[in-house]
Amino acid sequence: MHNPFAKRAPNTAASSAPTTSFSIRKRVEAAKEACVAAEASLDRTLTGLLASTGSQIGAVCLLYLVIAGNSGAFNTIGGLNLFATDPVFVLTMAQFAVAMATGLVAGAVVNVAGPRVSVVIAAISYTFYLYSQLSLLRGNAGDAILILESSVVRFAIFSATFATAGRGLLLSAAGSVVLAYPSEARKATVLTVAAAITGIAPITGFLVNTLLSWLAKTDSLDYDPPQFAYITCILIVVFLGGFGAMGLIKPYNKVHRNGHFIVRTNATLREEAIELKNLLRTRSVWLLASSIMLMSYFNGTTTSLKSASMTPDISNSARMMSLLNLIYNVVYIFGVATVSFTLLGNPNHTRSRRARMTSAVMAIGVMLVLVVTYLGSVTAYASYTVYAFYDGFAHTYFLWLMGALSNSAYKQARNVGFMYAAYFAVQEFRYWLWRILNDFVPTSVGVQQYDRIIMSVFVVLALVMMGVVNNQCVEETVNDGGADEGYEGEDAEVYATVTKGTDLEAAAAAAAVDGSSDEITHDSDLKKKKTVKFSNDSDTSSA
């Protein structure tokens, strides 16, 4: 008879199954938690390594090199572009319009979306542009490349215009980092480093052209890169440019310098619209814009003056022009380094005195430029050497003046964008001026000679305007909330102290909750909080 109270033997198979399943789930969850912790630790480590101003400056310069520089060097070597009259006209008009519009909104895009997103957009735009060049190469066998209505030409126009917008965003993002991140003692040095890194592209392009012309033993250069060269450039932009930006570029409020990092609530489109309106009422911005507009008329380089020694035999020789441009780009970097280390970065003089000394030296440089331009006995090599030194001085001086006006990355993003729009506004004016002159003025009048005289005058006026900016707008310290600036209050962009070992991601997020800045420290007295305003970047550590 069955005894219902008898003790049953345990079902080992049935009881062990739930235990084993629970153990596996527990191990999987533990592994997931370990992966999350490892990823967070790695992210904190990478943030700590890459969030310094020096790392960000180097990163943005390298990204500019692999995105815009890579494309520029490829076009120098022989990248295929539109050449028929009607497509080129439509493309030129589209690029001018988009460049001016992009310049006005580039600062807002960079400030709202962040420098990382802006650089990624630039990488995408240049990817489209390089792919359109590859499409032109594949369609070059027929007449499609000559017809405006063809799909390949329309795609090329769209892509090149998109790249123009991407370049504006890239310049605004890079300019905000290069001009606002360095301390006062390092600003001139940073400009030299930026020129050296970004100068690799044109040097590479003209060096390859020079070598190809010598190896081919011909004075002409008609090199068509193969398809794999286009594909290689596309891959460089996508992986080194796009994915590189995602890993290297950090938001403004996670970048630190000398134990401090920027904290500020995220900008909004409404705020940026107000700041753009205030920017357009700022005197210093318009004075700088007048300088770049004058330089834009001669394409930003004194080589446009075309010295008297540039005979048709030289200007029509691909080998000679490649060699001259190679010399120009190499000497240009030395010009930037010279003015940076001897004048603009000289710590023995005040900021305004350094600028005045630079203006005086450049006045002598202008005279040398005019001498080599109009004196036929000076060789083309000497002319390009003088042009390169002067352009290196002029461009560095202009950027240094812009950096001396504000230490705010947000303001500098808007300023660079506005300069981009101003530059292309004059470019469009000059384009239409020459189009009208070519249609209505006889070639016998010698308009080009008069144009060279006008450009020579503009070279002098551009230097005069930079001197005016220094005399009226540059002060010994930068106050980003002064009455003359007219935008962004003093507490809009501040710094918070960061001790060694602090989790920068968490600290930045906590400090930016209400847009204020509190001292972040491990001391016991946390009640003593202070706000550190970024008014003088030459003494950040003592703030």
Side-chain angles (χ1 to χ4, degrees), residues 252-268:
Y252 290 146
N253 63 346
K254 296 177 183 177
V255 178
H256 65 85
R257 184 189 69 204
N258 296 337
H260 299 78
F261 66 86
I262 302 172
V263 289
R264 178 187 167 179
T265 54
N266 294 331
T268 63

Side-chain angles (χ1 to χ4, degrees), residues 306-310 367-380 382-383 387 452:
K306 295 183 180 179
S307 66
S309 59
M310 293 291 293
M367 290 186 283
L368 290 176
V369 167
L370 297 179
V371 168
V372 301
T373 298
Y374 293 98
L375 190 61
S377 59
V378 180
T379 63
S383 300
Y387 291 154
R452 185 168 67 166

Side-chain angles (χ1 to χ4, degrees), residues 54-103:
S55 299
Q56 289 296 290
I57 292 169
V60 77
C61 290
L62 287 173
L63 290 169
Y64 185 90
L65 173 64
V66 300
I67 297 174
N70 170 44
S71 176
F74 186 69
N75 283 328
T76 300
I77 296 171
L80 185 60
N81 287 283
L82 295 174
F83 54 85
T85 303
D86 290 342
V88 169
F89 174 76
V90 174
L91 172 61
T92 303
M93 291 297 98
Q95 285 182 315
F96 285 152
V98 169
M100 289 186 287
T102 301

Side-chain angles (χ1 to χ4, degrees), residues 32-354:
K32 289 182 179 179
E33 293 177 357
C35 291
V36 171
E39 183 180 0
S41 176
L42 178 62
D43 185 63
R44 285 193 299 269
T45 302
L46 292 176
T47 300
L49 293 175
L50 297 174
S52 65
T53 54
S55 299
Q56 289 296 290
I57 292 169
V60 77
C61 290
L62 287 173
L63 290 169
Y64 185 90
L65 173 64
V66 300
I67 297 174
N70 170 44
S71 176
F74 186 69
N75 283 328
T76 300
I77 296 171
L80 185 60
N81 287 283
L82 295 174
F83 54 85
T85 303
D86 290 342
V88 169
F89 174 76
V90 174
L91 172 61
T92 303
M93 291 297 98
Q95 285 182 315
F96 285 152
V98 169
M100 289 186 287
T102 301
L104 294 177
V105 302
V109 174
V110 172
N111 292 339
V112 174
R116 175 189 295 171
V117 174
S118 302
V119 176
V120 170
I121 294 174
I124 294 173
S125 69
Y126 273 89
T127 302
F128 271 84
Y129 174 54
L130 289 168
Y131 181 75
S132 71
Q133 290 182 295
L134 179 60
S135 300
L136 289 174
L137 178 68
R138 291 172 175 173
N140 197 21
D143 295 332
I145 194 174
L146 306 175
I147 302 173
L148 179 61
E149 290 76 12
S150 66
S151 59
V152 65
V153 170
R154 290 185 175 182
F155 179 67
I157 293 174
F158 164 77
S159 301
T161 306
F162 186 21
T164 301
R167 185 183 182 87
L169 295 178
L170 181 60
L171 284 172
S172 294
S176 66
V177 172
V178 172
L179 297 178
Y181 282 7
S183 61
E184 172 62 25
R186 296 182 58 212
K187 283 192 175 183
T189 304
V190 165
L191 292 177
T192 303
V193 174
I197 294 176
T198 57
I200 294 175
I203 290 175
T204 302
F206 289 114
L207 178 61
V208 171
N209 275 354
T210 303
L211 293 176
L212 288 174
S213 64
W214 282 101
L215 292 175
K217 297 181 180 180
T218 177
D219 197 38
S220 62
L221 185 62
D222 188 14
Y223 177 69
D224 294 327
Q227 291 192 21
F228 77 85
Y230 290 86
I231 297 174
T232 301
C233 289
I234 293 173
L235 294 177
I236 290 175
V237 172
V238 171
F239 289 97
L240 296 184
F243 290 108
M246 296 171 66
L248 296 177
I249 302 298
K250 297 297 178 183
Y252 290 146
N253 63 346
K254 296 177 183 177
V255 178
H256 65 85
R257 184 189 69 204
N258 296 337
H260 299 78
F261 66 86
I262 302 172
V263 289
R264 178 187 167 179
T265 54
N266 294 331
T268 63
L269 289 176
R270 182 177 180 276
E271 292 172 349
E272 288 299 319
I274 296 174
E275 302 299 350
L276 176 61
K277 179 181 178 181
N278 292 330
L279 179 144
L280 296 177
R281 296 184 299 184
T282 306
R283 180 183 58 180
S284 58
V285 172
W286 280 106
L287 289 174
L288 270 176
S290 64
S291 298
I292 199 171
M293 291 169 78
L294 289 167
M295 289 189 286
S296 174
Y297 187 84
F298 53 91
N299 298 319
T301 171
T302 49
T303 57
S304 298
L305 297 177
K306 295 183 180 179
S307 66
S309 59
M310 293 291 293
T311 62
D313 292 338
I314 296 177
S315 58
N316 294 329
S317 170
R319 176 189 297 178
M320 283 295 299
M321 292 308 301
S322 296
L323 182 58
L324 287 173
N325 283 296
L326 176 61
I327 293 172
Y328 174 88
N329 284 280
V330 172
V331 176
Y332 176 87
I333 297 176
F334 283 98
V336 174
T338 301
V339 70
S340 297
F341 292 118
T342 61
L343 295 171
L344 297 176
N346 192 335
N348 299 322
H349 301 281
T350 61
R351 178 184 284 182
S352 59
R353 180 177 295 177
R354 280 177 272 164

Side-chain angles (χ1 to χ4, degrees), residues 408-474:
S408 167
Y410 301 93
K411 289 182 183 178
Q412 292 295 6
R414 301 185 205 108
N415 291 344
V416 174
F418 183 71
M419 300 303 159
Y420 188 73
Y423 181 89
F424 277 96
V426 175
Q427 287 280 294
E428 182 171 14
F429 166 78
R430 190 171 189 274
Y431 176 86
W432 280 107
L433 174 64
W434 273 98
R435 190 177 178 90
I436 294 172
L437 291 176
N438 289 331
D439 290 339
F440 296 100
V441 179
T443 56
S444 59
V445 176
V447 177
Q448 291 184 350
Q449 182 64 25
Y450 291 104
D451 187 59
R452 185 168 67 166
I453 296 175
I454 294 174
M455 287 191 289
S456 301
V457 174
F458 282 5
V459 170
V460 178
L461 291 179
L463 176 59
V464 171
M465 290 308 303
M466 286 189 282
V468 172
V469 173
N470 170 55
N471 184 57
Q472 297 189 10
C473 304
V474 175

